[in-house]
């Protein structure tokens, strides 16, 4: 079965760092674009950025550039989303999702992880 | 950055009725448009890609149409499990592959 399994929910304080993960199985994970999507409480979906694990090519939405870092480790079929200094406004559900296997173009997100809830509170 | 808009924000429909949801792009996205369904507490699920192709396992009552800047998702006969929030997303000009704000389909 093709799936993306995300790390567990996190509770952090403002100013702390955090790295959450998304592990793929059942498909050639390294040769698909893997994206990250934010959903703040009661709100819609926001496209954050995307990585191609095979060569770590990474693209960011201008809204998230400089706010987060997306990375990957192809040896363990895992993508990451990290923050160096969390803010209360980072409180949200974060999803990873699989897109196209073609580097030159993007596709729809056909496989989604279960989501990681990040809560930032003092 | 392409801006996606959806209408209406909320659609009240009786079970068995037809639902028509609209999505508009601020500039042409060709047919690179997807529709997703999200139920409370769940991850989104892909329904339609390429503007009109149903994803694997999606019932035939879901259909998509349109190209360029105007798109429609039609649910021919609403079932109880179809009451959810629906998002469109363009993946033609990226980053970012912007999502629309969503349409909530609720029971009338």
């Amino acid at each position: 079965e093709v799936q993306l399994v995300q790390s567990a929910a996190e509770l952090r304080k403002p100013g702390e760092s955090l790295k959450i993960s998304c592990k793929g199985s059942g498909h050639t994970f390294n040769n698909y674009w893997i994206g990250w999507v934010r959903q703040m409480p009661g709100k819609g979906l926001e496209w954050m950025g995307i990585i191609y694990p095979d060569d770590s090519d990474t693209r960011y939405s201008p809204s998230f550039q400089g706010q987060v870092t997306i990375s990957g480790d192809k040896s363990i079929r895992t993508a990451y989303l990290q923050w160096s200094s969390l803010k209360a406004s980072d409180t949200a559900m974060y999803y990873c999702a699989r897109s196209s296997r073609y580097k030159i173009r993007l596709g729809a997100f056909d496989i989604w992880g279960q989501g990681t809830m990040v809560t930032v509170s003092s | 950055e392409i801006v996606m808009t959806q209408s209406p924000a909320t659609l009240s429909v009786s079970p068995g009725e037809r639902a028509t949801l609209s999505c508009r792009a601020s500039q042409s996205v060709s047919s690179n448009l997807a529709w997703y369904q999200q139920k409370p507490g769940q991850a989104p699920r892909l329904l339609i890609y390429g503007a009109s192709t149903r994803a694997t396992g999606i019932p035939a009552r879901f259909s998509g149409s349109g190209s360029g800047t105007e798109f429609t998702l039609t649910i021919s006969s609403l079932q109880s499990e179809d009451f959810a929030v629906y998002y469109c997303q363009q993946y033609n000009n990226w980053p970012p592959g912007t999502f629309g704000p969503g349409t909530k389909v609720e029971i009338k």
Side-chain angles (χ1 to χ4, degrees), chain A residues 39 44-45 47 60 95 106 109 113, chain B residues 36 38 42-43 87 91 95-97:
Chain A
Q39 188 167 40
L45 305 174
W47 197 99
Y60 293 92
Y95 294 101
L106 211 58
F109 288 131
Chain B
Y36 302 89
Q38 188 179 33
Q42 296 185 16
Y87 297 94
Y91 49 91

Side-chain angles (χ1 to χ4, degrees), chain B residues 3-81:
Chain B
V3 176
M4 306 299 292
T5 56
Q6 292 186 242
S7 62
T10 303
L11 185 61
S12 298
V13 186
S14 299
E17 288 188 341
R18 182 186 194 89
T20 302
L21 289 66
S22 295
C23 173
R24 175 176 291 179
S26 59
Q27 63 189 78
S28 177
V29 298
S30 187
S31 294
N32 295 311
L33 190 285
W35 289 94
Y36 302 89
Q37 176 193 67
Q38 188 179 33
K39 298 178 182 179
Q42 296 185 16
R45 176 175 71 144
L46 177 65
L47 297 176
I48 301 285
Y49 64 93
S52 60
T53 302
R54 277 190 302 278
T56 303
I58 301 303
R61 64 180 182 272
F62 292 92
S63 63
S65 63
S67 66
T69 61
E70 303 280 344
F71 301 89
T72 301
L73 175 69
T74 302
I75 311 172
S76 60
S77 176
L78 269 156
Q79 306 298 301
S80 56
E81 62 266 29

Side-chain angles (χ1 to χ4, degrees), chain A residues 43-110:
Chain A
K43 302 299 183 183
L45 305 174
E46 299 176 89
W47 197 99
M48 301 177 71
I50 204 158
I51 186 168
Y52 197 79
D54 192 52
D55 62 6
S56 292
D57 186 359
T58 307
R59 318 283 177 89
Y60 293 92
S61 165
S63 298
F64 291 92
Q65 180 86 47
Q67 308 304 307
V68 297
T69 301
I70 293 170
S71 61
D73 185 339
K74 67 179 184 179
S75 68
I76 56 172
R77 302 154 65 89
T78 300
Y80 301 99
L81 177 65
Q82 68 181 90
W83 296 259
S84 59
S85 180
L86 285 159
K87 302 184 284 288
S89 57
D90 292 318
T91 294
M93 180 71 81
Y94 293 88
Y95 294 101
C96 64
R98 188 185 81 167
S99 181
S100 169
R101 66 177 182 268
Y102 301 108
K103 270 227 66 183
I104 61 170
R105 69 171 193 257
L106 211 58
F109 288 131
D110 64 345

